[in-house]
Amino acid sequence: MRNVVFAINITLDGCCDHTKFNPDEEVLEHYTHLIRDVDLFVYGRKTYQLMVPYWPDVAKSQSGTKADIEFAQAFVSKKKVVFSRSLASAEDGNTRIVRTNLHDEILKLKQEPGKDILVGGVDIPSQLIELGLVDEYRFVVGPIVAGEGRRLEGARLREKLQLKLVESKILKSGCVALRYLKQ
């Protein structure tokens, strides 16, 4: 069975607003390695529209740093599932828009053969956490106190979710990459 992996950048004070944390080359390299180990992304509309067309444009134009280009190429090579009621169509042939039940669709995707499933953003991951469908958590904690911005919240858990730290890495920038498994 495929695992659902939730990955996100976060500041020391819990902010995950993409405008408050700008990943450097080392963070992009970290995520490039991660996305090479999955074969499907799951997003909501907001996160999808943050990623597309930005990364496909970088891949096409080959503009940016080496880390930008490698991340962009890895990103565009993956299939994507976007949960949205309002998105009319996807911008590429690798993306499928889903309007059905999140729980049932993720269970179906987990049963399909293939590599792990990477989920990003806040809304969809919060719902998946609440449903108990996230198997692994990957956080890159930046040495930033944002003081404002969107926080990880929203999952209404019946009981505390205990995670097991299985990997940590300190990056040169002071960011810390953490990998947790659901116990």
Side-chain angles (χ1 to χ4, degrees), residues 63-174:
S63 61
T65 67
K66 179 181 180 231
D68 287 333
I69 294 166
E70 287 179 359
F71 179 89
Q73 290 171 335
F75 177 82
V76 299
S77 71
K78 305 298 177 178
K79 292 181 180 177
K80 296 156 196 76
V81 170
V82 179
F83 285 89
S84 175
R85 290 182 204 99
S86 61
L87 193 62
S89 63
E91 293 196 24
D92 64 10
N94 274 352
T95 301
R96 178 171 62 96
I97 299 172
V98 176
R99 302 181 200 292
T100 60
N101 180 285
L102 176 68
H103 178 267
D104 295 345
E105 184 68 24
I106 294 298
L107 285 178
K108 186 175 91 176
L109 291 170
K110 285 179 70 128
Q111 296 297 324
E112 291 177 356
K115 295 180 178 180
D116 288 342
I117 301 164
L118 185 64
V119 61
V122 176
D123 294 336
I124 295 296
S126 292
Q127 292 174 56
L128 293 174
I129 292 166
E130 189 174 319
L131 292 166
L133 294 175
V134 175
D135 304 293
E136 185 175 323
Y137 296 77
R138 302 275 188 118
F139 298 103
V140 173
V141 182
I144 300 163
V145 176
E148 64 179 2
R150 190 157 194 199
R151 302 286 194 272
L152 283 181
E153 55 188 296
R156 293 168 194 86
L157 301 174
R158 283 182 240 137
E159 59 185 48
K160 178 174 56 175
L161 180 62
Q162 188 66 43
L163 304 176
K164 179 181 179 182
L165 178 66
V166 294
E167 187 178 344
S168 65
K169 181 179 178 184
I170 299 171
L171 307 180
K172 292 175 191 160
S173 62

Side-chain angles (χ1 to χ4, degrees), residues 41-82:
F41 293 131
V42 171
Y43 295 130
R45 178 194 54 82
K46 292 176 198 171
T47 302
Y48 175 73
Q49 289 180 320
L50 285 173
M51 303 295 276
V52 175
Y54 182 81
W55 289 113
D57 287 349
V58 170
K60 194 179 301 178
S61 69
Q62 298 288 296
S63 61
T65 67
K66 179 181 180 231
D68 287 333
I69 294 166
E70 287 179 359
F71 179 89
Q73 290 171 335
F75 177 82
V76 299
S77 71
K78 305 298 177 178
K79 292 181 180 177
K80 296 156 196 76
V81 170
V82 179

Side-chain angles (χ1 to χ4, degrees), residues 6-55:
F6 170 43
I8 196 162
N9 295 327
I10 192 165
T11 64
L12 288 170
D13 59 341
C15 177
C16 56
D17 181 331
H18 75 282
T19 65
K20 309 294 184 202
F21 187 122
N22 294 318
D24 62 13
E25 286 196 30
E26 194 176 19
V27 171
L28 279 175
E29 289 168 5
H30 169 79
Y31 280 115
T32 301
H33 291 293
L34 172 59
I35 64 177
R36 287 181 178 148
D37 291 335
V38 303
D39 61 7
L40 178 66
F41 293 131
V42 171
Y43 295 130
R45 178 194 54 82
K46 292 176 198 171
T47 302
Y48 175 73
Q49 289 180 320
L50 285 173
M51 303 295 276
V52 175
Y54 182 81
W55 289 113

